[in-house]
């Protein structure tokens, strides 16, 4: 199979042999692709090497003969947004989620469009947590495992005053009062779920309640192996605890 002029976003690239790269690309028409980019780490192909870094939007030509396609040409379509500090960690998280959850060669045009949107939003540090919660919601929808955020798993209306856990198979499940008291931070408020479904940013407390609830449901889709970005965010949070005011737990 040949890919001619295929647009995509670079999710991950790692060295292979002396001068090559193994690249994961989220393509527009063919979903996630694994590529071998031969010789691009050499001095004569610096432009191609630069184009194959994570977050780059590119156009490629490639030939698929086995599990991995052989890259024949690559062109950068733009420059990725500058993402300092926590925004860079958020981008790593976004890429890692797509890499782990999107199967190879399974077309997802909605996911390609979604990635372009979140890539453009990540530079806004003040809205980073909301950007990530929206992305998690839309990623689940694009992969066909999302929820009706206005109703619980039994079909009843979400109660804005209640708390819920997210069951991947059943949907939002209301949590009884005594369990809320045991581990309040694990459950999303009903008002947060309703706001998420309306694409309306909830207040700080409600927004924070979504973080752990979304992490729990994503963990069940990911399986026993978690994300490196979660581990890194936890390490940074521990360091930030020694310097109050410096932390951000958007992806922790």
């Amino acid at each position: 199979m040949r890919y001619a002029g295929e647009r995509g976003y670079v999710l991950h690239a790692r060295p292979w042999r002396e001068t090559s790269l193994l690249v994961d690309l989220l393509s527009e028409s063919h979903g996630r692709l694994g590529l071998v980019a031969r010789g691009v780490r050499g001095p004569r192909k610096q432009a191609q090497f630069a184009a194959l870094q994570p977050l780059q939007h590119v156009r490629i030509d490639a030939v698929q003969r086995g599990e991995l396609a052989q890259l024949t040409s690559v062109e950068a379509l733009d420059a990725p947004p500058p993402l300092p500090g926590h925004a860079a960690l958020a981008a790593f998280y976004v890429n890692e989620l797509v890499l782990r959850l999107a199967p190879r060669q399974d077309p997802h045009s909605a996911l390609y469009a979604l990635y372009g949107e979140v890539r453009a939003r990540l530079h806004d540090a003040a809205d980073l947590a909301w950007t990530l919660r929206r992305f998690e919601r839309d990623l689940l929808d694009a992969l066909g495992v999302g929820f009706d955020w206005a109703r619980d798993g039994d079909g009843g209306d979400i109660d804005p005053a209640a708390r819920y856990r997210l069951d991947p198979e059943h949907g939002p499940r209301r949590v009884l009062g005594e369990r809320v008291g045991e581990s309040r931070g694990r459950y999303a408020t009903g008002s947060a779920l309703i706001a998420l479904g309306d694409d309306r940013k909830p207040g700080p407390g409600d927004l924070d309640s979504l973080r752990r609830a979304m992490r729990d449901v994503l963990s069940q889709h990911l399986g026993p192996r978690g994300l490196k970005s979660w581990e890194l965010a936890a390490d940074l949070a521990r360091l930030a605890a020694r310097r109050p005011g410096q932390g951000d737990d958007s992806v922790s």
Side-chain angles (χ1 to χ4, degrees), residues 19-133:
T19 61
S20 302
L21 288 175
L22 296 179
V23 179
D24 275 281
L25 185 82
L26 179 63
S27 73
E28 183 175 22
S29 303
H30 300 277
R32 186 167 66 86
L33 300 177
L35 305 169
V36 177
R38 297 184 183 277
V40 296
R41 295 167 62 204
R44 297 182 180 180
K45 295 188 176 181
Q46 293 182 1
Q48 292 187 37
F49 178 78
L52 291 170
Q53 299 310 301
L55 289 181
Q56 284 280 8
H57 192 201
V58 297
R59 181 183 291 113
I60 67 156
D61 295 335
V63 178
Q64 183 99 39
R65 292 195 178 95
E67 182 181 355
L68 300 177
Q70 306 294 315
L71 185 75
T72 56
S73 71
V74 58
E75 171 193 3
L77 297 178
D78 64 11
L83 299 176
H86 293 291
L89 175 58
F92 176 36
Y93 171 64
V94 166
N95 283 353
E96 194 176 14
L97 266 183
V98 176
L99 190 63
R100 289 282 303 278
L101 293 181
R104 278 186 176 168
Q105 293 178 276
D106 186 3
H108 277 292
S109 58
L111 183 54
Y112 175 83
L114 170 62
Y115 187 93
E117 292 172 4
V118 73
R119 175 180 179 262
R121 292 177 180 147
L122 283 172
H123 73 280
D124 186 355
D127 235 12
L128 199 55
W130 177 229
T131 292
L132 293 180
R133 301 297 84 81

Side-chain angles (χ1 to χ4, degrees), residues 2-234:
R2 292 185 178 274
Y3 306 106
E6 180 70 19
R7 297 191 302 171
Y9 294 100
V10 179
L11 300 173
H12 182 68
R14 65 183 185 274
W16 184 65
R17 296 184 176 175
E18 293 185 2
T19 61
S20 302
L21 288 175
L22 296 179
V23 179
D24 275 281
L25 185 82
L26 179 63
S27 73
E28 183 175 22
S29 303
H30 300 277
R32 186 167 66 86
L33 300 177
L35 305 169
V36 177
R38 297 184 183 277
V40 296
R41 295 167 62 204
R44 297 182 180 180
K45 295 188 176 181
Q46 293 182 1
Q48 292 187 37
F49 178 78
L52 291 170
Q53 299 310 301
L55 289 181
Q56 284 280 8
H57 192 201
V58 297
R59 181 183 291 113
I60 67 156
D61 295 335
V63 178
Q64 183 99 39
R65 292 195 178 95
E67 182 181 355
L68 300 177
Q70 306 294 315
L71 185 75
T72 56
S73 71
V74 58
E75 171 193 3
L77 297 178
D78 64 11
L83 299 176
H86 293 291
L89 175 58
F92 176 36
Y93 171 64
V94 166
N95 283 353
E96 194 176 14
L97 266 183
V98 176
L99 190 63
R100 289 282 303 278
L101 293 181
R104 278 186 176 168
Q105 293 178 276
D106 186 3
H108 277 292
S109 58
L111 183 54
Y112 175 83
L114 170 62
Y115 187 93
E117 292 172 4
V118 73
R119 175 180 179 262
R121 292 177 180 147
L122 283 172
H123 73 280
D124 186 355
D127 235 12
L128 199 55
W130 177 229
T131 292
L132 293 180
R133 301 297 84 81
R134 295 172 78 193
F135 172 73
E136 292 161 348
R137 173 200 66 194
D138 295 341
L139 175 63
L140 293 174
D141 285 344
L143 296 176
V145 291
F147 303 120
D148 179 351
W149 300 97
R151 295 187 176 277
D152 64 25
D154 296 318
D157 291 341
I158 294 290
D159 180 353
R163 287 201 175 239
Y164 294 82
R165 68 178 178 87
L166 300 179
D167 185 318
E169 302 295 331
H170 186 78
R173 284 186 178 272
R174 186 167 181 162
V175 180
L176 298 178
E178 58 269 22
R179 293 191 62 189
V180 171
E182 293 171 4
S183 186
R184 176 176 293 271
R186 296 186 65 89
Y187 307 123
T189 64
S191 55
L193 296 180
I194 294 169
L196 185 62
D198 291 340
D199 201 31
R200 172 174 45 83
K201 183 179 178 180
D206 287 334
L207 179 59
D208 187 63
S209 78
L210 286 173
R211 178 179 58 84
R212 187 57 184 266
M214 292 297 282
R215 175 168 176 171
D216 283 349
V217 73
L218 288 167
S219 293
Q220 296 192 56
H221 288 296
L222 289 164
R225 184 165 60 94
L227 298 179
K228 293 180 180 178
S229 49
W230 284 340
E231 297 174 7
L232 180 56

